Amino acid sequence: MKKLSKWITALACLLIVSAGRAELPPGSYDTLRLEAPEALLIEVEAVKRAVKGNATEVVAIARVLYVERTKVGLRPGATVEIRYIHANGPVAGPRPVPLLIEKTIIPAFLKKGAGKDFEPAAYGMSFLMTPER
């Protein structure tokens, strides 16, 4: 009976932990992308990564190829610096921002960060055009 009790406790803990991810409500990422101040098509030219514990600090340099909308006046040919933290494992909260890859052309939904930097505006969906599912 004690073994059964331990198994039930372990199963309950697993259910609680898996439910604790706290994904955003349906439609939230689409809304964040629609409201992003900067909607661009970029080419990632360089990516620097620094692993710090269970996170990676990412700094990407990208060239703007096309501007859908911009609050800060970006134009094609401009260079933007994108900074964010990538989680190196499961975390509670919104979808983690993926690691960007050099020499790729991707959409980017950004907002102004500190100084001249930009940061993802829609968490893990900031570099995708695909509607939420």
Side-chain angles (χ1 to χ4, degrees):
M1 190 66 170
K2 285 184 180 182
K3 283 187 179 183
L4 180 59
S5 176
K6 287 181 182 180
W7 279 102
I8 291 172
T9 302
L11 182 59
C13 287
L14 278 174
L15 289 173
I16 290 169
V17 168
S18 65
R21 183 144 191 265
E23 184 73 52
L24 295 180
S28 296
Y29 297 107
D30 289 339
T31 300
L32 288 169
R33 289 185 291 196
L34 284 171
E35 295 175 352
E38 314 301 319
L40 315 166
L41 181 66
I42 61 171
E43 180 176 10
V44 180
E45 295 181 337
V47 180
K48 297 177 188 172
R49 299 178 183 101
V51 177
K52 301 206 175 174
N54 61 351
T56 301
E57 291 180 7
V58 179
V59 178
I61 306 298
R63 185 170 46 93
V64 176
L65 301 176
Y66 176 78
V67 177
E68 177 69 27
R69 68 179 169 272
T70 178
K71 191 172 184 178
V72 298
L74 292 172
R75 298 202 185 286
T79 299
V80 294
E81 188 170 299
I82 305 165
R83 291 180 178 269
Y84 63 94
I85 302 294
H86 170 79
N88 296 336
V91 294
R95 292 181 193 176
V97 181
L99 291 171
L100 292 178
I101 301 168
E102 291 179 7
K103 309 298 180 215
T104 56
I105 295 174
I106 55 172
F109 298 91
L110 306 172
K111 59 185 177 181
K112 196 76 172 103
K116 295 181 180 181
D117 302 338
F118 290 88
E119 55 190 42
Y123 303 101
M125 299 290 283
S126 294
F127 302 108
L128 296 172
M129 286 294 293
T130 310
E132 253 182 271
R133 295 184 190 229

